[in-house]
Amino acid sequence: MTEAAADLVIVECAEHESVEIDTALWLNSDHHLVLNSEIDGRDILRANFRKGALRLQATSYVGVIPLNDRVIVRVKPRVPIANLTRMVIETGHDVLALSTFREYSSRGTADDWAMDIFADALLDYLDELLDAGMMRSYERCEDEGHFPHGRIDFTQTMQRFAARGVPNKAAYSWFERTVDIPANRCIKAAMEVVHAYLTKSKAKPRRGDRAKIARLAGQLLAFEEVGEDTGYRFLDDPVVLGLTPLPDPRAYYRSALDLSVVILRGAGISLDLGGTGVRLSSLLIDTNKLFENFVRISLAKHAARQNWPVEVLDGNAEGRVDLYDVPDPLPSPLGTPLKALASLDPGKAQPDIVVRGLDRNFRLIAEVKNTVHGKNSKAEDVLPDRDEVEQAVTYALRYGLNFALLIHPWIKGKKGLVYVGRVRSVDVYDYRLDLSKDEGTDEALADMALTVAGLAGLPAGQPPISA
């Protein structure tokens, strides 16, 4: 489970899995946790007892977690999800960045969430670069005149001046140190791309952008003597591409150059663990919220493409309703009416997905759960967790529906729609969505949308609303 690299211990586990780590590595002599300040107070790792041993348990966050300066915990998704990058891009899901470094492979297109991370990383690399000093090279310059300096070119002098009877002029050359080199032109071009991104018009300017712009403007001043190459010819330079190693004293340029090339080529970030490429801050993803957002947004996009006469809503926001009603008259089981607590606080029914018709009638509610049930069971198919069913049935009753839908990531057994059974008047269905392979994701999402349409009473060939 663990491997030691010098004094650093790397622990591999899956989300929600408990792992044993020598307590001397994360507890001090007073039995207090020794944690990285960036994860202290966050529900990322939990300490608990299991079978008499003190262990750490991962939560729903996946990524590389710096527990402290002695231990790194690498948490992988417990379900076979091969589409983390796509899911984050399509949902705009927030990614928690930590200051530890790890490798991410670049691919795809640099969407806003990736550009935010690129901008932060480039600013940090530039601070380090400018503190250590900009790289320069010697450039050969040539001239001719009455006051030569550097090295006299005797051949040119004889041909141009002595042969013509001009005794007081000479051709000469010298070398000057300059910062206008391909490496610096590459970094400056990336800085300008990031500056354009941060200053582009936005309906809601993001917090912190002004400080980043001011910081970047100061860094650009240091590159004032570096020329511009709008054709990006520096991308053919072997030093820029890493084909020729940098001088040892300038090795700190590598991170800034690699990231600059990624920015200029418009690449995104692959969040699948184990990639190699540009070094960026460690990113943590809450897979519970990510899976919920991805399912809801995918259904909403499919509904829009197929012109379904419904709205796909977030039950935690615009799709929620009051959980309790206050009847009139109030019940009087003891002879006098009892005041309802719901008259002060009616509570909220908040399904993850609410499908509402244009007539304002509710057609379907769904609870999206990124949970693993039956993974270690010998049976191929098992019942969903009882608390999930109870929640979904309660919501179905509140929304006036005779069925409830659960949506889980597929682990094993049957894929697609499964009928669980009936709780009094409410039928319970469970949809197992297969996201285990990149190439089958679109088909899996389309099948899920057709199933939802069927349950919601929408014909597959629903005509456009305008018709």
Side-chain angles (χ1 to χ4, degrees):
M1 206 67 171
T2 65
E3 64 177 271
D7 295 330
L8 187 66
V9 175
I10 300 175
V11 182
E12 304 273 1
C13 70
E15 57 178 314
H16 291 285
E17 183 179 287
S18 292
V19 291
E20 288 189 43
I21 305 175
D22 187 346
T23 53
L25 296 174
W26 54 282
L27 286 177
N28 61 19
S29 58
D30 296 326
H31 302 288
H32 292 153
L33 294 175
V34 181
L35 297 179
N36 175 358
S37 60
E38 291 182 290
I39 67 171
D40 192 11
R42 298 180 184 268
D43 189 27
I44 294 175
L45 292 169
R46 300 170 186 167
N48 59 36
F49 279 99
R50 185 175 180 182
K51 296 181 180 180
L54 184 59
R55 299 183 173 198
L56 282 179
Q57 182 182 29
T59 59
S60 60
Y61 284 90
V62 300
V64 178
I65 304 170
L67 186 63
N68 51 43
D69 59 0
R70 303 175 68 186
V71 183
I72 288 178
V73 181
R74 185 158 54 193
V75 184
K76 296 186 178 182
R78 59 181 174 172
V79 297
I81 298 179
N83 302 276
L84 284 179
T85 305
R86 170 179 175 172
M87 293 170 72
V88 169
I89 290 175
E90 291 194 9
T91 60
H93 184 74
D94 289 335
V95 178
L96 176 63
L98 303 179
S99 61
T100 189
F101 286 93
R102 59 148 293 177
E103 301 289 334
Y104 285 98
S105 57
S106 56
R107 73 178 187 190
T109 302
D111 293 76
D112 282 357
W113 73 273
M115 280 299 296
D116 287 338
I117 296 166
F118 288 159
D120 291 339
L122 187 62
L123 289 171
D124 290 340
Y125 291 154
L126 287 168
D127 283 343
E128 177 186 352
L129 185 153
L130 294 175
D131 284 343
M134 292 179 65
M135 187 162 61
R136 290 171 165 81
S137 69
Y138 285 95
E139 185 177 70
R140 188 174 185 273
C141 303
E142 297 180 350
D143 202 354
E144 54 188 40
H146 299 287
F147 304 100
H149 59 89
R151 182 178 180 179
I152 295 177
D153 188 331
F154 288 100
T155 302
Q156 292 290 339
T157 299
M158 293 296 292
Q159 290 177 349
R160 293 183 184 179
F161 306 115
R164 298 178 181 179
V166 182
N168 58 348
K169 292 186 71 175
Y172 56 94
S173 64
W174 72 99
F175 287 88
E176 287 186 355
R177 294 186 70 201
T178 178
V179 294
D180 190 15
I181 59 175
N184 288 332
R185 289 197 289 270
C186 176
I187 293 172
K188 183 176 182 179
M191 294 166 69
E192 290 171 344
V193 169
V194 171
H195 187 271
Y197 167 73
L198 292 174
T199 55
K200 71 180 181 181
S201 177
K202 301 184 184 70
K204 294 182 179 180
R206 291 163 307 185
R207 184 171 50 187
D209 274 3
R210 288 183 180 179
K212 293 178 186 178
I213 292 168
R215 185 178 168 193
L216 184 58
Q219 293 169 338
L220 275 167
L221 284 176
F223 282 74
E224 191 173 14
E225 296 180 9
V226 178
E228 295 186 4
D229 180 359
T230 56
Y232 291 179
R233 288 170 296 179
F234 49 73
L235 290 178
D236 295 325
D237 185 81
V239 173
V240 169
L241 298 177
L243 303 177
T244 299
L246 288 159
D248 287 343
R250 303 296 185 186
Y252 55 84
Y253 254 75
R254 188 74 270 153
S255 296
L257 281 172
D258 288 346
L259 180 55
S260 296
V261 170
V262 169
I263 291 171
L264 295 171
R265 288 178 172 170
I269 302 176
S270 170
L271 295 173
D272 305 315
L273 299 182
T276 59
V278 65
R279 290 175 63 87
L280 292 172
S281 297
S282 177
L283 307 178
L284 296 183
I285 307 168
D286 184 350
T287 54
N288 286 353
K289 198 65 180 175
L290 176 63
F291 182 67
E292 175 190 326
N293 289 342
F294 184 63
V295 170
R296 181 172 53 250
I297 289 173
S298 298
L299 283 175
K301 288 180 177 178
H302 193 91
R305 287 194 299 267
Q306 298 299 318
N307 293 305
W308 290 354
V310 297
E311 300 172 286
V312 179
L313 306 175
D314 181 355
N316 299 299
E318 66 272 22
R320 66 184 182 181
V321 299
D322 290 343
L323 178 60
Y324 297 101
D325 291 324
V326 178
D328 185 17
L330 291 166
S332 307
L334 303 180
T336 57
L338 293 175
K339 185 177 180 180
L341 293 177
S343 61
L344 301 175
D345 182 5
K348 294 298 177 185
Q350 298 173 284
D352 296 323
I353 295 175
V354 176
V355 177
R356 185 176 66 189
L358 300 183
D359 57 3
R360 311 296 290 179
N361 290 325
F362 296 109
R363 312 293 287 269
L364 177 144
I365 61 97
E367 280 294 286
V368 184
K369 302 297 183 183
N370 182 39
T371 54
V372 178
H373 53 275
K375 182 178 181 180
N376 299 319
S377 172
K378 294 181 180 179
E380 281 294 295
D381 290 300
V382 299
L383 294 172
D385 291 344
R386 181 167 174 170
D387 58 343
E388 296 175 0
V389 173
E390 291 171 350
Q391 183 181 33
V393 169
T394 299
Y395 287 160
L397 291 170
R398 182 61 189 86
Y399 281 77
L401 298 169
N402 60 4
F403 71 95
L405 176 64
L406 294 166
I407 301 177
H408 289 97
W410 171 79
I411 301 298
K412 65 177 185 178
K414 184 179 178 181
K415 299 178 183 180
L417 188 65
V418 175
Y419 178 57
V420 179
R422 180 173 295 175
V423 180
R424 299 294 289 181
S425 61
V426 178
D427 286 316
V428 179
Y429 297 94
D430 188 15
Y431 193 92
R432 282 85 182 268
L433 177 62
D434 182 11
L435 297 178
S436 60
K437 298 178 181 178
D438 283 320
E439 61 272 15
T441 299
D442 290 331
E443 291 78 4
L445 293 173
D447 288 344
M448 178 183 67
L450 287 175
T451 299
V452 168
L455 290 172
L458 300 171
Q462 180 67 45
I465 297 172
S466 58

